[in-house]
Amino acid sequence: MSLWMILPVSLPVLTITGIWVVYAMALYNQHVCPVENWLYNQSCEEELYLQSGPSLCCTLDNVPLISKCGTLPPESCFFSLICSTGSFMVMVIVLLRYAHVIEKHQNCVLNTASLCTGWICGAGLIMVGNFQVDNAKILHYVGAGIAFPTSMLFVCLQSALTYRLAKTQGEYNLAHLRLCMTLLAFVALVLSGVFFCQESFVLQHASAIFEWVFCIIIMLFYGTFAFEFSGMSSDTMVVLARGGSLGLAGREHKMDALGGPGLHSQPHPHQPESMSML
């Protein structure tokens, strides 16, 4: 079992825990509206003061979207750190997954497309985390428009790739799990986008809930790569060092492991005459 499996497991642990900490900080500083206020449809005109003091004024500007939770300091600093670290880990995981598929099987269009979409998603995530929606709205929405669709496309490609490469029952079960997570993420993304466009307290809050569900599912999807990464070997690093090709020695090793004839298992049928004399 390879220690590389810790990397995909640590990504959802770090990011999911981090965004919940950001939400708790924003809630404590009254930068976003609490859930119970939205459930009871409490607005500024209904109740401005509680017994203990002034209550948070709930408007469409403080909906508890993930990006809204990380807009104002001090939680904005932690939100940027989580997004930047998570983006780097996503790029590393996507790259290792790309090389691992080449090592164990062979390169294909699905594998290359997954690498491209995964890296584009990481770039969009950096923009989301470092350009807060209240300070740089255009850049923030550009980053979100890049990160959300490409992350959805990435899990779709990886689900299809898992089915294509599956040979054992365990691998097929993993493919079924990823397909279910992909379908749930797609439904959550669509509902979040539809409700986000509505000028309603309840629907805006529903959009925030589905956005949280979508992000959690995507992070858990990355965690499932621990199954493949547990069998990762040094040949994966050889693939990366050779720029995506396994190389002559690696192909011979792969052929020997599969029981096939290697390049040196049979003499060359057309040896030069000088070599025969030697």
Side-chain angles (χ1 to χ4, degrees):
M1 183 176 294
S2 175
L3 293 178
W4 284 107
M5 66 176 298
I6 299 177
L7 181 61
V9 173
S10 60
L11 175 61
V13 172
L14 172 67
T15 54
I16 294 176
T17 305
I19 58 178
W20 278 106
V21 170
V22 170
Y23 172 72
M25 294 172 62
L27 202 60
Y28 177 80
N29 294 316
Q30 294 190 349
H31 292 159
V32 294
C33 188
V35 175
E36 58 270 16
N37 288 16
W38 286 88
L39 293 178
Y40 290 105
N41 197 22
Q42 180 185 20
S43 64
C44 299
E45 293 79 10
E46 291 175 351
E47 185 175 350
L48 288 176
Y49 291 92
L50 296 176
Q51 295 179 356
S52 58
S55 175
L56 176 65
C57 181
C58 292
T59 66
L60 293 177
D61 293 330
N62 50 24
V63 179
L65 297 163
I66 296 178
S67 57
K68 271 292 185 181
C69 294
T71 297
L72 299 176
E75 55 266 20
S76 60
C77 304
F78 194 65
F79 180 70
S80 297
L81 177 63
I82 292 297
C83 289
S84 300
T85 306
S87 175
F88 175 75
M89 296 177 68
V90 163
M91 290 183 174
V92 173
I93 292 173
V94 169
L95 182 61
L96 291 176
R97 170 62 173 167
Y98 169 78
H100 185 258
V101 170
I102 297 177
E103 174 202 347
K104 296 298 182 181
H105 306 277
Q106 61 182 0
N107 198 10
C108 59
V109 176
L110 287 176
N111 193 32
T112 304
S114 297
L115 175 66
C116 297
T117 54
W119 276 45
I120 294 174
C121 174
L125 184 59
I126 291 178
M127 296 182 65
V128 169
N130 292 278
F131 298 99
Q132 283 77 25
V133 63
D134 287 352
N135 301 322
K137 182 175 292 187
I138 295 178
L139 291 176
H140 179 85
Y141 283 142
V142 168
I146 293 174
F148 281 92
T150 53
S151 60
M152 188 68 244
L153 182 58
F154 175 78
V155 297
C156 292
L157 293 172
Q158 284 296 324
S159 298
L161 185 62
T162 306
Y163 272 108
R164 179 174 179 177
L165 302 180
K167 296 180 180 179
T168 64
Q169 185 60 42
E171 292 174 343
Y172 276 107
N173 292 336
L174 178 61
H176 298 333
L177 173 62
R178 288 177 176 170
L179 178 61
C180 293
M181 297 177 71
T182 301
L183 294 176
L184 290 175
F186 178 76
V187 173
L189 179 62
V190 171
L191 292 178
S192 176
V194 171
F195 293 152
F196 181 76
C197 300
Q198 308 301 318
E199 295 291 335
S200 169
F201 289 111
V202 177
L203 294 181
Q204 283 277 329
H205 184 66
S207 173
I209 293 176
F210 283 115
E211 182 190 52
W212 280 80
V213 171
F214 172 78
C215 293
I216 291 175
I217 292 175
I218 295 297
M219 291 299 105
L220 292 177
F221 188 97
Y222 278 96
T224 61
F225 289 128
F227 293 99
E228 288 93 351
F229 281 32
S230 61
M232 189 174 294
S233 63
S234 58
D235 289 338
T236 305
M237 303 300 137
V238 174
V239 173
L240 294 177
R242 294 181 178 274
S245 60
L246 192 57
L248 181 61
R251 284 195 295 268
E252 292 179 3
H253 176 73
K254 184 177 179 180
M255 290 296 297
D256 292 339
L258 294 175
L263 294 179
H264 299 292
S265 60
Q266 297 179 359
H268 198 282
H270 303 289
Q271 291 184 347
E273 195 175 305
S274 58
M275 291 299 295
S276 301
M277 294 176 61
L278 289 174

